Amino acid sequence: MKVSLEWLRDYVDIDQTAEDLAEILTRGGIEVGGVEHLHQGLDAVVVGEIARMERHPNADKLWICEVNLGDRSTTIVTGAQNLLVKDRIPVALPGTTLPNGVHIEVSKLRGVESSGMLCSTEELHLDSEMGDPRSEGGILILGKDAPLGVTLDTVLGEGDCVLDLELYPNRPDCLGMVNVAREVASLTGGALHLPTWAEGTKGPDYPVDPNARIVLDDPELCRRYAGLVVEDVKIEPSPEWMQKRLKAAGVRPISNIVDITNYIMLEMGQPLHAFDRDAIAGAVHVRRAQAGEKLVTLDDLERELDPEMLLIADDEKALGLAGVMGGLNSEITDSTKNIFVESAHFSSVSIRRTSRRLGLRSEASNRFEKGVNPHGVAATLGRVAELVIQLGAGKPVGFIEQAGQLSEHVAVSLTVEKTNALLGTTLTEEEITEVLKRLRFPYEEKDGGYEVQIPAYRSDITIEEDLIEEVARLTGYDRIPTTLPQGDQTQGRRTPEQEFKRTLRHLLVRLGLNEVMTYSFTRPDADRQFGDMEQAIPLLNPLREELSVMRTALLPSIMEIAARNISRRNLDIRLFEMGSIYKSKERPLVKLPHEELHLAGVIWGKSSRHWLTPVTEYDFYTVKGILEEVAREFGLEFEYRLPNNQELTHPGRSADIYLNGEKIGLMGEIHPALGKEWELERALIFELAMVPLIEAGNRTIRAFSIPKFPAMQRDLAVVVSQEVSAQDVMKRIKELGGELLVQVNIFDVYTGKPIPEDRKSLAFALKYQALDRTLKDEEVNALNQQVLEGIEKEFGAAWRK
């Protein structure tokens, strides 16, 4: 919000300089980002009049001008071709430094002495539209009433200053000059001189126009709507004083009617819009747009709308986007004779969504998004009528209004005791009473405290703590004493989950993997391949299409990083990520989605060349070895089964991972078709749910003495059907061997002659050992026979001698 100090002085007495006032406001919680001095450097440029002009004798394109400065004359040579005798122009005399940095000295041009320079808007850093139309591209031509000899800053407005307020969302009231004036008055004690309508809640006293009617089709999105009918409108430029104030606030002047609506929006904080009354067919409707409905806005762009957007329409067509921008079919033109000025209170959520979906931001939408005062909607039109009459822009003839249920005025209790307890101060009752007076909040003393009526324009104050903050602001934050925090200190430590994740990260790094961190968003088609699109959460306002859903799996994000590295010839890929996935079937979301912690990894290529170890190509057992190290570190025992989803991983080089009978993830080589699509052929992937690992993990160290008695080993080879899992056979062998069978390893899988085509040979090494004695051959042979008979019976295995 840009605040002109000259304009602000109309509403509040200010004795401070612009810099001092900026410091006061910032200390009071209204941050001032900067102070801009308008017309700086123009105090040395004076107004002169062309008394005589003649061609330069030695140059066809130069003029020798005699310039009258009021108390004296001077001769200046210029190349400008837009000047006439009697024109009043800005003159920079020798010794002057212009705003563009040029220093003026006496000089000779083609033999003729020139004592100064005639200035253009560009050299003076002024608006190019200033002055007579003949000024464009040449010397600035001032009005005939500009007094000779006075400095240009005096003519242009006494060296106005602009404060750039950096407002936070909780102070939308300060988007209006009258409320900034209230803030300045409360902080400095200056007297207020607000417009009459700034304190009112009722509209102007005009009869209801029988031809005007308002229909609120959706009262939830528009709680109050009012209109002012003005006839016999005269479209012309607004007066210079209004244009100067609009320009200082960063708003381009257009015409008197449009400028009045913009001026009052800046002044009162209430956005307005003027429609051509003759373009409205029937009643004014405030309704939702229809699916596929289109509207050409004032920027001459056709926009397709949806039912989430609020429209201003008549009985036949849409007239404008409520609170955002008007329509081209009802704009004010030079031929406009009657207007309908709108003032309304629209839902901030609705305006924000419309503005974001269309990528259309305006001063009006900014105010509606942050919230406007619904009680000031009608009174603002009284100010419109006042300015229309003052400028002779038309004749206000009718007022109409429709209002739903308006919010009640808030009353907040405040006590001295709680104020001091919360701030750590020793403020007295008199000091707090003085604060309420400076804020101009009506109050009653009640039960040792105050019952304070909060004005409707201060929507940020709803509870006692908000009022206590006002007390702190106005008494000064520097009065809050500095205290050291006190309390019992305990030794900080990580939670078990934090310790688990830290240990796991360090382990994977030791195993040669590199950690990456990716966005929580991903592509819908990628998430559909690896995750659960039914529970994927689409974003309303994605950064781009490639990041438009919350991920339900980690693998797509990390695979994209792997593919990007491979395309840049980084051929040794070992990546992992530990992050969250998000799931919810709720549409739209009204609560936070379910969040799960996952671990995923991608491995591709060959190991790096090293003098000590040979180069090896990564395969299924590389990933399995990494996961087995994770299991060993945390005392877990993974179970590997044939994968359920044969479309993600290679049917013969992958497995689903189970822990305690529950599936927790997958691992193995990516499916060839999927690998080709991702340009990651033969890539090895894994993804695990972390919560089961954390819950089952056990890092308690248990020590065992080295057995005193020797172990005995037996090899067992059996022929089984191709469909029989080697892991199932191994698991059954462990069960049949009992406590004396301490280790089972598979060391060979064979197919081919003389083994039948539908069968395979599995060879296991069985290690038997007792802690209290040396085992005998008979005992071990009996156990081995028990094992063989058991698997023959369960799997139809045949002993291969």
Side-chain angles (χ1 to χ4, degrees):
M1 173 69 180
K2 294 183 179 294
V3 175
S4 160
L5 205 58
E6 176 197 2
W7 190 356
L8 189 62
R9 285 194 174 100
D10 281 0
Y11 310 127
V12 61
D13 293 343
I14 299 174
D15 298 326
Q16 295 79 10
T17 64
E19 286 74 14
D20 289 343
L21 183 59
E23 178 69 17
I24 291 170
L25 286 170
T26 301
R27 286 181 174 273
I30 306 297
E31 184 177 352
V32 179
V35 178
E36 179 186 0
H37 290 269
L38 301 180
H39 312 149
Q40 191 171 15
L42 302 186
D43 52 348
V45 178
V46 298
V47 177
E49 183 181 74
I50 305 295
R52 186 169 58 86
M53 295 177 64
E54 61 181 38
R55 290 282 184 183
H56 194 294
N58 301 319
D60 294 339
K61 294 185 178 181
L62 296 180
W63 291 90
I64 301 173
C65 300
E66 182 182 339
V67 182
N68 177 16
L69 300 176
D71 57 350
R72 65 189 188 281
S73 294
T74 188
T75 300
I76 297 176
V77 179
T78 180
Q81 304 299 315
N82 65 323
L83 298 177
L84 299 173
V85 175
K86 297 296 183 182
D87 281 345
R88 298 205 172 186
I89 35 75
V91 181
L93 298 174
T96 300
T97 300
L98 295 177
N100 66 353
V102 174
H103 187 71
I104 306 303
E105 297 289 352
V106 175
S107 60
K108 279 191 177 183
L109 295 176
R110 295 291 182 94
V112 177
E113 186 175 274
S114 177
S115 300
M117 187 175 82
L118 309 183
C119 303
S120 67
T121 55
E122 183 178 357
E123 292 156 341
L124 298 175
H125 286 185
L126 295 174
D127 190 336
S128 60
E129 297 181 0
M130 183 174 289
D132 188 278
R134 285 191 291 117
S135 303
E136 184 175 357
I139 300 302
L140 171 61
I141 300 173
L142 303 170
K144 298 295 183 182
D145 56 348
L148 294 177
V150 303
T151 58
L152 194 58
D153 64 329
T154 302
V155 174
L156 297 179
E158 302 296 336
D160 191 14
C161 296
V162 175
L163 307 182
D164 190 1
L165 305 187
E166 296 184 356
L167 299 174
Y168 298 108
N170 67 320
R171 291 304 304 270
D173 56 300
C174 287
L175 288 170
M177 292 289 292
V178 294
N179 290 328
V180 175
R182 288 185 172 111
E183 192 67 27
V184 170
S186 65
L187 290 168
T188 65
L192 277 174
H193 317 288
L194 299 181
T196 305
W197 296 102
E199 306 286 359
T201 59
K202 296 182 179 180
D205 189 18
Y206 293 107
V208 175
D209 188 334
N211 298 319
R213 190 164 60 91
I214 296 171
V215 180
L216 300 182
D217 291 346
D218 198 328
E220 292 297 320
L221 300 184
C222 179
R223 288 195 285 173
R224 194 174 189 183
Y225 192 95
L228 178 71
V229 179
V230 181
E231 295 180 349
D232 300 330
V233 171
K234 299 175 183 177
I235 304 298
E236 57 188 10
S238 54
E240 186 68 26
W241 63 268
M242 181 176 284
Q243 291 193 33
K244 284 199 303 182
R245 291 184 174 183
L246 291 174
K247 290 175 183 176
V251 177
R252 180 173 62 91
I254 298 175
S255 66
N256 53 355
I257 295 299
V258 177
D259 291 353
I260 286 173
T261 62
N262 286 332
Y263 182 88
I264 295 176
M265 176 185 69
L266 296 170
E267 179 185 54
M268 308 281 280
Q270 170 66 51
L272 302 166
H273 185 72
F275 298 94
D276 188 323
R277 178 70 181 88
D278 298 325
I280 301 175
V284 175
H285 294 262
V286 184
R287 62 169 175 84
R288 291 177 183 265
Q290 299 170 1
E293 189 171 3
K294 295 182 179 180
L295 172 69
V296 179
T297 48
L298 288 173
D299 53 4
D300 204 19
L301 293 177
E302 184 178 70
R303 303 181 185 274
E304 186 168 341
L305 314 177
D306 62 55
E308 292 297 315
M309 300 175 185
L310 195 63
L311 283 183
I312 308 301
D314 59 20
D315 293 341
E316 301 174 356
K317 60 187 179 299
L319 299 173
L321 284 167
V324 180
M325 184 176 284
L328 195 64
N329 57 7
S330 59
E331 73 168 332
I332 305 299
T333 65
D334 292 342
S335 60
T336 297
K337 298 301 180 185
N338 306 298
I339 63 173
F340 179 84
V341 184
E342 160 199 279
S343 179
H345 181 278
F346 301 119
S347 165
S348 58
V349 175
S350 172
I351 302 304
R352 186 181 301 113
R353 286 176 178 170
T354 300
S355 180
R356 287 187 177 181
R357 288 185 183 181
L358 296 177
L360 189 60
R361 301 300 299 272
S362 63
E363 288 286 343
S365 68
N366 179 42
R367 285 165 171 77
F368 278 122
E369 286 178 26
K370 291 178 170 60
V372 300
N373 174 18
H375 296 273
V377 166
T380 304
L381 292 178
R383 178 66 170 147
V384 173
E386 188 175 75
L387 276 180
V388 165
I389 294 172
Q390 179 182 336
L391 270 58
K395 178 183 177 183
V397 296
F399 170 78
I400 189 170
E401 178 185 17
Q402 281 287 348
Q405 183 65 36
L406 298 181
S407 58
E408 299 289 336
H409 286 284
V410 176
V412 176
S413 298
L414 178 68
T415 64
V416 177
E417 182 181 3
K418 185 168 182 179
T419 300
N420 286 324
L422 199 61
L423 298 179
T425 54
T426 56
L427 297 173
T428 64
E429 186 176 336
E430 289 74 18
E431 288 175 306
I432 294 179
T433 301
E434 178 60 25
V435 168
L436 296 176
K437 289 179 179 178
R438 288 166 62 184
L439 287 169
R440 293 170 176 79
F441 289 178
Y443 67 91
E444 293 181 6
E445 296 187 15
K446 187 176 181 182
D447 300 329
Y450 304 88
E451 187 76 13
V452 184
Q453 300 296 322
I454 308 301
Y457 61 84
R458 286 301 301 270
S459 59
D460 59 309
I461 301 177
T462 57
I463 58 177
E464 185 175 4
E465 285 74 10
D466 295 331
L467 264 182
I468 292 173
E469 183 182 0
E470 295 299 298
V471 173
R473 287 196 318 113
L474 268 67
T475 56
Y477 291 118
D478 54 342
R479 292 191 59 180
I480 300 175
T482 302
T483 57
L484 292 174
Q486 296 181 353
D488 296 330
Q489 295 186 358
T490 58
Q491 182 178 1
R493 64 179 61 185
R494 298 182 184 90
T495 64
E497 180 180 341
Q498 289 172 331
E499 190 63 45
F500 186 98
K501 292 192 291 184
R502 181 174 182 271
T503 303
L504 179 56
R505 280 192 171 97
H506 288 186
L507 171 63
L508 293 173
V509 170
R510 289 200 305 272
L511 292 172
L513 278 71
N514 298 304
E515 184 175 11
V516 297
M517 298 179 68
T518 63
Y519 287 116
S520 298
F521 321 122
T522 188
R523 291 183 291 121
D525 55 339
D527 196 67
R528 186 179 295 106
Q529 291 173 332
F530 292 89
D532 183 0
M533 274 303 291
E534 289 186 2
Q535 299 192 68
I537 304 163
L539 303 184
L540 292 177
N541 186 29
L543 297 173
R544 54 182 185 270
E545 181 60 28
E546 292 81 4
L547 300 172
S548 60
V549 297
M550 301 289 285
R551 64 189 180 191
T552 61
L554 285 186
L555 274 172
S557 300
I558 197 171
M559 285 172 61
E560 287 188 354
I561 292 180
R564 190 178 305 119
N565 275 270
I566 292 170
S567 68
R568 287 158 177 76
R569 305 300 296 167
N570 182 4
L571 304 180
D572 183 8
I573 305 298
R574 291 171 291 181
L575 305 176
F576 79 93
E577 178 176 13
M578 194 182 304
S580 293
I581 65 170
Y582 308 87
K583 295 182 179 181
S584 178
K585 291 186 177 180
E586 194 175 46
R587 298 292 183 273
L589 286 179
V590 295
K591 60 182 180 181
L592 292 176
H594 177 62
E595 186 173 345
E596 298 177 14
L597 185 65
H598 275 214
L599 171 70
V602 176
I603 299 175
W604 187 90
K606 301 177 181 179
S607 61
S608 301
R609 297 175 61 184
H610 193 274
W611 66 270
L612 186 60
T613 57
V615 175
T616 58
E617 187 171 354
Y618 301 132
D619 58 15
F620 172 87
Y621 295 102
T622 306
V623 180
K624 186 172 183 291
I626 291 171
L627 296 180
E628 284 297 310
E629 280 295 313
V630 171
R632 187 191 63 80
E633 177 74 21
F634 296 103
L636 305 171
E637 188 172 349
F638 291 154
E639 182 182 351
Y640 303 94
R641 302 181 187 175
L642 291 174
N644 293 326
N645 190 343
Q646 299 285 346
E647 297 179 356
L648 292 181
T649 53
H650 193 294
R653 301 171 188 166
S654 61
D656 285 343
I657 306 171
Y658 286 76
L659 179 63
N660 298 329
E662 176 188 356
K663 181 181 175 181
I664 62 169
L666 58 85
M667 59 154 288
E669 186 178 314
I670 193 170
H671 193 283
L674 204 56
K676 186 175 182 180
E677 178 184 337
W678 283 81
E679 298 183 354
L680 285 172
E681 291 89 350
R682 301 294 302 276
L684 301 154
I685 59 176
F686 65 88
E687 181 163 348
L688 304 175
M690 288 283 292
V691 172
L693 302 184
I694 296 171
E695 292 176 348
N698 181 9
R699 301 194 69 215
T700 303
I701 298 174
R702 299 182 64 187
F704 299 93
S705 62
I706 298 174
K708 297 179 181 180
F709 303 99
M712 298 183 70
Q713 183 165 317
R714 294 287 187 272
D715 291 344
L716 179 63
V718 293
V719 177
V720 297
S721 173
Q722 287 278 14
E723 287 76 22
V724 174
S725 166
Q727 179 168 283
D728 292 341
V729 177
M730 186 184 300
K731 182 179 179 182
R732 185 58 179 152
I733 290 174
K734 290 180 181 179
E735 294 172 353
L736 293 167
E739 295 182 358
L740 295 180
L741 182 57
V742 295
Q743 186 176 327
V744 180
N745 289 321
I746 183 169
F747 65 86
D748 184 57
V749 178
Y750 175 74
T751 58
K753 294 181 180 180
I755 307 299
E757 290 185 1
D758 60 343
R759 299 178 73 78
K760 61 185 175 183
S761 172
L762 305 176
F764 300 94
L766 285 64
K767 181 179 179 181
Y768 296 93
Q769 190 171 33
L771 298 177
D772 57 350
R773 69 187 189 279
T774 299
L775 296 177
K776 296 180 180 180
D777 281 342
E778 295 79 7
E779 191 177 5
V780 172
N781 291 339
L783 283 173
N784 221 39
Q785 185 62 32
Q786 179 180 312
V787 169
L788 179 58
E789 292 174 356
I791 61 175
E792 284 178 344
K793 181 179 179 181
E794 184 166 342
F795 300 104
W799 180 30
R800 186 181 178 200
K801 299 180 182 179

